[in-house]
Amino acid sequence: MALTAHCYDGQSSRMRAAQLDCVDGCLQLAFEDGQRQRWPLEAVRIRPRLGNTPRVLQLPDGGYLELTHSAELEAWFPDGSGRIEGWADWLERRRGAILGSALLVLAATVLFLRHGMPWLAREAAERMPAVVERHVSEQVVALLDRLHFNPSTVPAARRAALQQRFRALVRGEPRSAQMRVVLVDAEGLGANAFALPDGRIFVTDQLLELAGSDEEVLAVLAHEAGHHVHRHGMRGALEQSSLFVVAGLLFGDASGSSLAVSIPATLLGSGFSRGHEREADAYAFDLLRRHGQSPKAFATMMRRLSALVPEALEKGPMGYLSTHPPSPERIAAAEKAATGAGAGAASP
Ligand SMILES: [Zn+2]
């Protein structure tokens, strides 16, 4: 049975109608004007099928035929659709499959944001050059400076003693060479402490005033050291700013400047994830116990900070509490670590 096709010579837009048949492994074309052509089937190439678009047969002389899909075509060109093209065609013609693949892409995106992004952020943070860590930290300090940092008014002897005890605490720890404690008087930040990606750990006089002892301050510093060891600042910022960066790339800011803006904002504003907090806590408890100090001091300090909640809320999003929520779980974990078995060096 003959098929009707539109024939083009491949050079002009002129179309001629033709009847198509297959005889003895040859494709026979019979044009309206009586002209005939004959091509071996293996010399004719059929383009992959796509949805309901017309099938296209490519002729060896550069011309091509357009015709609707039919069972005959399938019989003449049994390998007419490559595996991938066939699959694309199958998808093309099934709405359910289209919806399914859209959902699959969505699920993959969510999975990537939840698991892939943190992994990517950690890999990127570990390779982050120190110069970038310094640059980002400078930006944070510049932002904080608007809150009027003043030199610490804590007596020099206590400051020196704290510095010395901190150095002894982190000696030999990973990335400890970069760590240094910076004491500032910052009424605007209240009782606060935070680690910058370059290893600076800021502690406010207000936190020292709140603490009942230097052990409690050291417990907070140990926690901040944990953030630095695990590169939480850069990791969290990369995770959270990646969305802005992607948006920036989509909407025309390809310079990556949105990263420069969002990293300090992330470090100060949204704080660390619960996972990062737990990781820094665990590091701190272990570090304290290895040095014969009890993680209980951390629990005590968290309780003191918790008592500040109304005041901290008044201070807005910059408070230590907003970035370090002192949840009952964390306090309980500190107390458990303090009494934990196997802590040979733990003090009572
Ligand atoms: Zn923290």
Side-chain angles (χ1 to χ4, degrees), residues 132-160:
V132 177
E133 293 178 332
R134 275 199 299 277
H135 177 68
V136 169
S137 303
E138 280 311 323
Q139 287 182 302
V140 178
V141 172
L143 278 175
L144 287 174
D145 230 20
R146 294 186 203 155
L147 296 165
H148 306 299
F149 279 6
N150 294 311
S152 172
T153 58
V154 171
R158 186 179 177 200
R159 274 186 280 148

Side-chain angles (χ1 to χ4, degrees), residues 223-224 227 272 277 324:
H223 170 90
E224 296 304 325
H227 281 315
F272 297 114
E277 286 306 324
H324 292 82

